[in-house]
Amino acid sequence: MRSESMKVPLRRQAVLDRVAVLRSRTGRRYPCAVLDGGFATELERMGHDLSAGATGGEWSAAIVRTAPDDVQRVHERFLEAGADILTCATYQASTETIPAAVKLLGQAIDRMGIDTSTVLRAASLGPLAASLGDGREYRGYADTSVFANGTEAARCEFRRFHETRLRQCLPFLEETSSEMDRFESGAVSALDLVLFETIPDAVEAETITLMMTHEPAFENIPWAISLQCRPPQTGLEATTPSEPQLAGGGPVSSVVDRLLSLGFGRNSESDTHNGPLFIGFNCCPPSLIRPILESLHRCIHPLARQLTQPRSPVAMRNDASTVAVSSFAGWAVYPNSGEVWDPSTKRWGRPASAALDPSQESFWQHHVPEWCVLGASIIGGCCRVGPEAIRALTRVVHG
């Protein structure tokens, strides 16, 4: 085991700087970094059964054990498509599977001969809801026992779940050239950040934020969080008309304000050393992204206010100050394809209203300009958005 003096944690500012470099690369029409897409989607297209019965609840992570070459190939396809930010097949992984999944991403990057300084590598960690099954990450915890003993008990449960998996990622979040950290291909199996994804509940999101900003063991770990949202309430039951909500309830702008306050202090970005690198919104329909970004104009936190001033793409390209805020990279948006997941049949279906297909450039030509104007700095895809869709996105971003 290495001594403490040999450990060199990645600095979050270094990751922020790399996001800024990715966004401002020469030739980009829009100043955004490209995130990869739906990992499970591509594995299913390759013929893998990802049902709970077939994978033991690990979803795509199970294929890390049964067909690692296919997992590596999916990573390579997203790299070939032009993704700047790659995520490991760890979303629902067990603690035993996480290390192998991280190494497969490193092997894919190494095999393609890509300089690791030109991409970002993230451990994807899903919510407690995803481990419970039945699509609960799209509904929250209202019909579960998570909050049965009160909010504080729920916080403890969220903390235990996320900390256990996070600790499996820690060895890969250290910059080192030690031979002990090399695997068969010779590439260093490092990560750049941890991405907590599809978080449906405000208490869960707050618990993650407090853990990452107040726990000494994690104070140097670059991280980000992405929320699962639903359309605004309508009718008599609506409490905040016209604003999107978290899947488990609560106006998006209020939750984002709370996370920024916990991560950076209420009035200054210097009150903590480890707020989120960015806040994202994922696996909601593409049509919901614009209302989410527009709702962030209601935020009062200074960092949010800096990112919600509409600007033209030309102005954004010419103004370096819009590429990065010193301590916060902004908003990440990576919706699903617009198809609807039916938990009872375990199938996706495209509603008639979803006329645009993300595998076509027209989809991204329609969405990317308005998302960038509204503050998106990272754009990608989630479920049902495969490498061809990311390739189409990359072509639009590069103009």
Side-chain angles (χ1 to χ4, degrees), residues 273-314:
H273 297 293
N274 201 34
L277 295 166
F278 57 83
I279 294 176
F281 310 95
N282 76 290
C283 214
C284 51
S287 60
L288 190 56
I289 296 297
R290 178 171 181 168
I292 288 172
L293 293 175
E294 289 178 334
S295 76
L296 298 178
H297 286 73
R298 295 187 172 97
C299 292
I300 60 175
H301 194 279
L303 289 177
R305 301 295 295 177
Q306 292 180 56
L307 292 161
T308 54
Q309 304 303 316
R311 304 173 68 90
S312 72
V314 172

Short mmCIF file of all heavy atoms in Angstrom, two decimals, residues 273-314:
data_model
loop_
_atom_site.label_atom_id
_atom_site.label_comp_id
_atom_site.label_asym_id
_atom_site.label_seq_id
_atom_site.Cartn_x
_atom_site.Cartn_y
_atom_site.Cartn_z
N HIS A 273 -14.38 24.45 -0.31
CA HIS A 273 -13.40 24.08 -1.32
C HIS A 273 -13.94 23.04 -2.30
O HIS A 273 -13.26 22.74 -3.28
CB HIS A 273 -12.14 23.50 -0.66
CG HIS A 273 -11.44 24.49 0.22
ND1 HIS A 273 -10.83 25.62 -0.28
CD2 HIS A 273 -11.26 24.52 1.56
CE1 HIS A 273 -10.29 26.30 0.71
NE2 HIS A 273 -10.54 25.67 1.85
N ASN A 274 -15.10 22.50 -2.07
CA ASN A 274 -15.48 21.35 -2.90
C ASN A 274 -16.97 21.30 -3.22
O ASN A 274 -17.63 20.29 -3.01
CB ASN A 274 -15.06 20.03 -2.21
CG ASN A 274 -14.97 18.89 -3.20
OD1 ASN A 274 -14.59 19.08 -4.35
ND2 ASN A 274 -15.30 17.69 -2.76
N GLY A 275 -17.50 22.38 -3.75
CA GLY A 275 -18.86 22.34 -4.28
C GLY A 275 -18.90 21.52 -5.56
O GLY A 275 -17.86 21.10 -6.08
N PRO A 276 -20.08 21.26 -6.11
CA PRO A 276 -20.17 20.47 -7.35
C PRO A 276 -19.50 21.18 -8.51
O PRO A 276 -19.58 22.40 -8.64
CB PRO A 276 -21.68 20.34 -7.56
CG PRO A 276 -22.28 21.51 -6.84
CD PRO A 276 -21.40 21.73 -5.65
N LEU A 277 -18.84 20.42 -9.37
CA LEU A 277 -18.25 20.97 -10.59
C LEU A 277 -19.33 21.53 -11.51
O LEU A 277 -19.17 22.56 -12.12
CB LEU A 277 -17.46 19.89 -11.34
CG LEU A 277 -16.23 19.33 -10.62
CD1 LEU A 277 -15.79 18.05 -11.32
CD2 LEU A 277 -15.11 20.35 -10.61
N PHE A 278 -20.43 20.80 -11.60
CA PHE A 278 -21.59 21.25 -12.37
C PHE A 278 -22.82 20.57 -11.82
O PHE A 278 -22.73 19.58 -11.08
CB PHE A 278 -21.42 20.98 -13.87
CG PHE A 278 -21.17 19.53 -14.24
CD1 PHE A 278 -22.22 18.62 -14.39
CD2 PHE A 278 -19.88 19.08 -14.49
CE1 PHE A 278 -22.00 17.30 -14.75
CE2 PHE A 278 -19.63 17.75 -14.85
CZ PHE A 278 -20.69 16.87 -14.97
N ILE A 279 -23.97 21.11 -12.15
CA ILE A 279 -25.26 20.49 -11.81
C ILE A 279 -25.95 20.14 -13.12
O ILE A 279 -26.06 20.98 -14.02
CB ILE A 279 -26.13 21.43 -10.97
CG1 ILE A 279 -25.47 21.66 -9.60
CG2 ILE A 279 -27.54 20.86 -10.79
CD1 ILE A 279 -26.20 22.66 -8.71
N GLY A 280 -26.38 18.91 -13.22
CA GLY A 280 -26.98 18.44 -14.47
C GLY A 280 -28.44 18.04 -14.32
O GLY A 280 -28.99 17.97 -13.21
N PHE A 281 -29.03 17.76 -15.46
CA PHE A 281 -30.42 17.30 -15.54
C PHE A 281 -30.45 16.21 -16.60
O PHE A 281 -30.12 16.45 -17.76
CB PHE A 281 -31.34 18.48 -15.92
CG PHE A 281 -31.11 19.68 -15.04
CD1 PHE A 281 -30.26 20.70 -15.44
CD2 PHE A 281 -31.70 19.76 -13.80
CE1 PHE A 281 -30.00 21.79 -14.64
CE2 PHE A 281 -31.45 20.86 -12.97
CZ PHE A 281 -30.60 21.87 -13.39
N ASN A 282 -30.79 14.99 -16.19
CA ASN A 282 -30.66 13.87 -17.13
C ASN A 282 -31.86 12.94 -17.13
O ASN A 282 -32.64 12.90 -16.18
CB ASN A 282 -29.39 13.07 -16.82
CG ASN A 282 -29.50 12.16 -15.62
OD1 ASN A 282 -29.57 12.64 -14.49
ND2 ASN A 282 -29.49 10.87 -15.84
N CYS A 283 -31.95 12.23 -18.22
CA CYS A 283 -32.97 11.20 -18.46
C CYS A 283 -34.40 11.73 -18.35
O CYS A 283 -35.31 10.99 -18.02
CB CYS A 283 -32.78 9.99 -17.56
SG CYS A 283 -33.26 8.46 -18.43
N CYS A 284 -34.58 12.99 -18.66
CA CYS A 284 -35.92 13.54 -18.84
C CYS A 284 -36.12 13.75 -20.34
O CYS A 284 -35.15 13.71 -21.10
CB CYS A 284 -36.10 14.85 -18.08
SG CYS A 284 -34.80 16.06 -18.41
N PRO A 285 -37.34 13.95 -20.81
CA PRO A 285 -37.53 14.14 -22.25
C PRO A 285 -36.87 15.43 -22.73
O PRO A 285 -36.79 16.41 -21.98
CB PRO A 285 -39.06 14.20 -22.40
CG PRO A 285 -39.58 14.52 -21.05
CD PRO A 285 -38.61 13.92 -20.08
N PRO A 286 -36.40 15.46 -23.97
CA PRO A 286 -35.74 16.67 -24.49
C PRO A 286 -36.61 17.92 -24.38
O PRO A 286 -36.09 19.01 -24.15
CB PRO A 286 -35.47 16.31 -25.96
CG PRO A 286 -35.42 14.82 -25.99
CD PRO A 286 -36.40 14.36 -24.95
N SER A 287 -37.92 17.75 -24.51
CA SER A 287 -38.83 18.90 -24.45
C SER A 287 -38.84 19.56 -23.08
O SER A 287 -39.27 20.71 -22.95
CB SER A 287 -40.25 18.46 -24.81
OG SER A 287 -40.71 17.47 -23.90
N LEU A 288 -38.34 18.87 -22.05
CA LEU A 288 -38.34 19.44 -20.70
C LEU A 288 -37.08 20.24 -20.40
O LEU A 288 -37.06 21.02 -19.45
CB LEU A 288 -38.50 18.31 -19.67
CG LEU A 288 -38.76 18.71 -18.21
CD1 LEU A 288 -39.98 19.60 -18.08
CD2 LEU A 288 -38.88 17.47 -17.33
N ILE A 289 -36.04 20.08 -21.21
CA ILE A 289 -34.77 20.74 -20.91
C ILE A 289 -34.91 22.26 -20.94
O ILE A 289 -34.44 22.96 -20.03
CB ILE A 289 -33.67 20.28 -21.87
CG1 ILE A 289 -33.38 18.79 -21.69
CG2 ILE A 289 -32.39 21.10 -21.66
CD1 ILE A 289 -32.86 18.41 -20.34
N ARG A 290 -35.55 22.78 -21.96
CA ARG A 290 -35.69 24.24 -22.02
C ARG A 290 -36.46 24.79 -20.82
O ARG A 290 -36.00 25.76 -20.19
CB ARG A 290 -36.36 24.66 -23.33
CG ARG A 290 -36.57 26.18 -23.41
CD ARG A 290 -37.02 26.64 -24.76
NE ARG A 290 -37.17 28.08 -24.81
CZ ARG A 290 -37.33 28.79 -25.91
NH1 ARG A 290 -37.36 28.19 -27.09
NH2 ARG A 290 -37.46 30.11 -25.85
N PRO A 291 -37.62 24.23 -20.45
CA PRO A 291 -38.30 24.73 -19.25
C PRO A 291 -37.44 24.63 -17.98
O PRO A 291 -37.51 25.51 -17.12
CB PRO A 291 -39.55 23.85 -19.14
CG PRO A 291 -39.81 23.41 -20.54
CD PRO A 291 -38.46 23.25 -21.17
N ILE A 292 -36.63 23.57 -17.87
CA ILE A 292 -35.76 23.46 -16.71
C ILE A 292 -34.76 24.62 -16.68
O ILE A 292 -34.61 25.32 -15.67
CB ILE A 292 -35.00 22.11 -16.72
CG1 ILE A 292 -35.95 20.96 -16.41
CG2 ILE A 292 -33.85 22.14 -15.72
CD1 ILE A 292 -35.33 19.59 -16.58
N LEU A 293 -34.08 24.84 -17.81
CA LEU A 293 -33.08 25.91 -17.86
C LEU A 293 -33.72 27.28 -17.66
O LEU A 293 -33.15 28.15 -16.99
CB LEU A 293 -32.33 25.85 -19.19
CG LEU A 293 -31.44 24.62 -19.39
CD1 LEU A 293 -30.84 24.61 -20.80
CD2 LEU A 293 -30.34 24.55 -18.34
N GLU A 294 -34.91 27.47 -18.21
CA GLU A 294 -35.59 28.76 -18.02
C GLU A 294 -35.99 28.95 -16.57
O GLU A 294 -35.96 30.07 -16.04
CB GLU A 294 -36.82 28.84 -18.93
CG GLU A 294 -36.47 28.99 -20.40
CD GLU A 294 -37.69 29.01 -21.31
OE1 GLU A 294 -38.73 28.42 -20.92
OE2 GLU A 294 -37.59 29.59 -22.40
N SER A 295 -36.34 27.86 -15.88
CA SER A 295 -36.74 27.97 -14.47
C SER A 295 -35.57 28.39 -13.59
O SER A 295 -35.77 28.96 -12.50
CB SER A 295 -37.31 26.65 -13.97
OG SER A 295 -36.30 25.70 -13.70
N LEU A 296 -34.33 28.15 -14.04
CA LEU A 296 -33.17 28.51 -13.24
C LEU A 296 -32.98 30.02 -13.16
O LEU A 296 -32.16 30.50 -12.36
CB LEU A 296 -31.92 27.84 -13.81
CG LEU A 296 -31.96 26.30 -13.80
CD1 LEU A 296 -30.70 25.72 -14.41
CD2 LEU A 296 -32.16 25.76 -12.38
N HIS A 297 -33.71 30.78 -13.97
CA HIS A 297 -33.70 32.24 -13.83
C HIS A 297 -34.30 32.68 -12.50
O HIS A 297 -34.11 33.82 -12.08
CB HIS A 297 -34.46 32.89 -14.99
CG HIS A 297 -33.71 32.86 -16.28
ND1 HIS A 297 -33.55 31.71 -17.01
CD2 HIS A 297 -33.08 33.84 -16.98
CE1 HIS A 297 -32.86 31.98 -18.10
NE2 HIS A 297 -32.55 33.25 -18.11
N ARG A 298 -35.03 31.77 -11.84
CA ARG A 298 -35.59 32.08 -10.53
C ARG A 298 -34.57 31.92 -9.41
O ARG A 298 -34.81 32.34 -8.28
CB ARG A 298 -36.79 31.17 -10.24
CG ARG A 298 -38.00 31.37 -11.17
CD ARG A 298 -39.17 30.53 -10.66
NE ARG A 298 -40.39 30.82 -11.38
CZ ARG A 298 -40.84 30.11 -12.41
NH1 ARG A 298 -40.12 29.07 -12.84
NH2 ARG A 298 -41.96 30.41 -13.02
N CYS A 299 -33.43 31.28 -9.71
CA CYS A 299 -32.40 31.09 -8.69
C CYS A 299 -31.85 32.43 -8.23
O CYS A 299 -31.73 33.37 -9.02
CB CYS A 299 -31.26 30.23 -9.24
SG CYS A 299 -31.70 28.51 -9.57
N ILE A 300 -31.49 32.49 -6.97
CA ILE A 300 -30.94 33.73 -6.42
C ILE A 300 -29.46 33.61 -6.08
O ILE A 300 -28.82 34.61 -5.81
CB ILE A 300 -31.72 34.18 -5.18
CG1 ILE A 300 -31.65 33.11 -4.08
CG2 ILE A 300 -33.17 34.49 -5.54
CD1 ILE A 300 -32.28 33.55 -2.77
N HIS A 301 -28.92 32.40 -6.10
CA HIS A 301 -27.50 32.24 -5.77
C HIS A 301 -26.64 32.93 -6.82
O HIS A 301 -26.92 32.86 -8.02
CB HIS A 301 -27.13 30.76 -5.67
CG HIS A 301 -25.80 30.52 -5.03
ND1 HIS A 301 -24.61 30.64 -5.71
CD2 HIS A 301 -25.47 30.21 -3.75
CE1 HIS A 301 -23.61 30.39 -4.89
NE2 HIS A 301 -24.10 30.12 -3.69
N PRO A 302 -25.56 33.62 -6.40
CA PRO A 302 -24.73 34.36 -7.36
C PRO A 302 -24.19 33.52 -8.51
O PRO A 302 -24.12 33.99 -9.65
CB PRO A 302 -23.58 34.89 -6.48
CG PRO A 302 -24.17 34.99 -5.11
CD PRO A 302 -25.12 33.85 -5.01
N LEU A 303 -23.79 32.28 -8.24
CA LEU A 303 -23.26 31.45 -9.32
C LEU A 303 -24.33 31.15 -10.36
O LEU A 303 -24.06 31.14 -11.57
CB LEU A 303 -22.69 30.15 -8.76
CG LEU A 303 -21.39 30.26 -7.97
CD1 LEU A 303 -20.99 28.90 -7.42
CD2 LEU A 303 -20.28 30.83 -8.84
N ALA A 304 -25.55 30.91 -9.91
CA ALA A 304 -26.64 30.66 -10.85
C ALA A 304 -26.96 31.91 -11.66
O ALA A 304 -27.22 31.85 -12.87
CB ALA A 304 -27.89 30.17 -10.11
N ARG A 305 -26.93 33.05 -10.99
CA ARG A 305 -27.26 34.30 -11.67
C ARG A 305 -26.28 34.59 -12.81
O ARG A 305 -26.66 35.13 -13.85
CB ARG A 305 -27.23 35.47 -10.68
CG ARG A 305 -28.19 35.32 -9.51
CD ARG A 305 -29.64 35.31 -9.90
NE ARG A 305 -30.07 36.58 -10.48
CZ ARG A 305 -31.29 36.81 -10.94
NH1 ARG A 305 -32.19 35.83 -10.94
NH2 ARG A 305 -31.61 37.98 -11.43
N GLN A 306 -25.02 34.21 -12.63
CA GLN A 306 -24.02 34.44 -13.67
C GLN A 306 -24.26 33.57 -14.89
O GLN A 306 -23.80 33.90 -15.99
CB GLN A 306 -22.62 34.14 -13.12
CG GLN A 306 -22.13 35.11 -12.06
CD GLN A 306 -20.74 34.74 -11.59
OE1 GLN A 306 -19.82 34.64 -12.38
NE2 GLN A 306 -20.60 34.52 -10.29
N LEU A 307 -24.96 32.48 -14.71
CA LEU A 307 -25.09 31.50 -15.80
C LEU A 307 -26.44 31.55 -16.50
O LEU A 307 -26.66 30.79 -17.45
CB LEU A 307 -24.88 30.09 -15.23
CG LEU A 307 -23.46 29.80 -14.75
CD1 LEU A 307 -23.45 28.63 -13.80
CD2 LEU A 307 -22.55 29.54 -15.95
N THR A 308 -27.34 32.39 -16.06
CA THR A 308 -28.69 32.38 -16.61
C THR A 308 -29.02 33.65 -17.38
O THR A 308 -30.20 33.99 -17.53
CB THR A 308 -29.73 32.16 -15.50
OG1 THR A 308 -29.53 33.14 -14.47
CG2 THR A 308 -29.61 30.77 -14.90
N GLN A 309 -28.00 34.34 -17.86
CA GLN A 309 -28.24 35.52 -18.68
C GLN A 309 -28.19 35.12 -20.15
O GLN A 309 -27.13 34.74 -20.65
CB GLN A 309 -27.18 36.59 -18.39
CG GLN A 309 -27.11 36.99 -16.92
CD GLN A 309 -28.45 37.49 -16.37
OE1 GLN A 309 -29.13 38.26 -17.01
NE2 GLN A 309 -28.81 37.01 -15.18
N PRO A 310 -29.31 35.13 -20.86
CA PRO A 310 -29.31 34.69 -22.26
C PRO A 310 -28.32 35.48 -23.11
O PRO A 310 -28.21 36.71 -22.99
CB PRO A 310 -30.75 34.95 -22.71
CG PRO A 310 -31.55 34.96 -21.45
CD PRO A 310 -30.65 35.54 -20.41
N ARG A 311 -27.55 34.77 -23.93
CA ARG A 311 -26.58 35.39 -24.82
C ARG A 311 -26.64 34.67 -26.16
O ARG A 311 -26.97 33.49 -26.24
CB ARG A 311 -25.16 35.27 -24.24
CG ARG A 311 -25.01 35.85 -22.85
CD ARG A 311 -23.64 35.53 -22.30
NE ARG A 311 -22.59 36.26 -23.04
CZ ARG A 311 -22.17 37.46 -22.70
NH1 ARG A 311 -22.71 38.09 -21.67
NH2 ARG A 311 -21.21 38.04 -23.37
N SER A 312 -26.27 35.36 -27.21
CA SER A 312 -26.22 34.73 -28.52
C SER A 312 -25.01 33.82 -28.61
O SER A 312 -24.01 34.04 -27.93
CB SER A 312 -26.12 35.79 -29.62
OG SER A 312 -24.84 36.38 -29.62
N PRO A 313 -25.06 32.76 -29.46
CA PRO A 313 -23.89 31.90 -29.63
C PRO A 313 -22.65 32.67 -30.05
O PRO A 313 -21.53 32.36 -29.62
CB PRO A 313 -24.34 30.91 -30.70
CG PRO A 313 -25.84 30.86 -30.56
CD PRO A 313 -26.23 32.26 -30.19
N VAL A 314 -22.80 33.69 -30.89
CA VAL A 314 -21.65 34.48 -31.33
C VAL A 314 -21.02 35.20 -30.14
O VAL A 314 -19.80 35.19 -29.96
CB VAL A 314 -22.07 35.50 -32.40
CG1 VAL A 314 -20.91 36.45 -32.70
CG2 VAL A 314 -22.51 34.79 -33.66
#
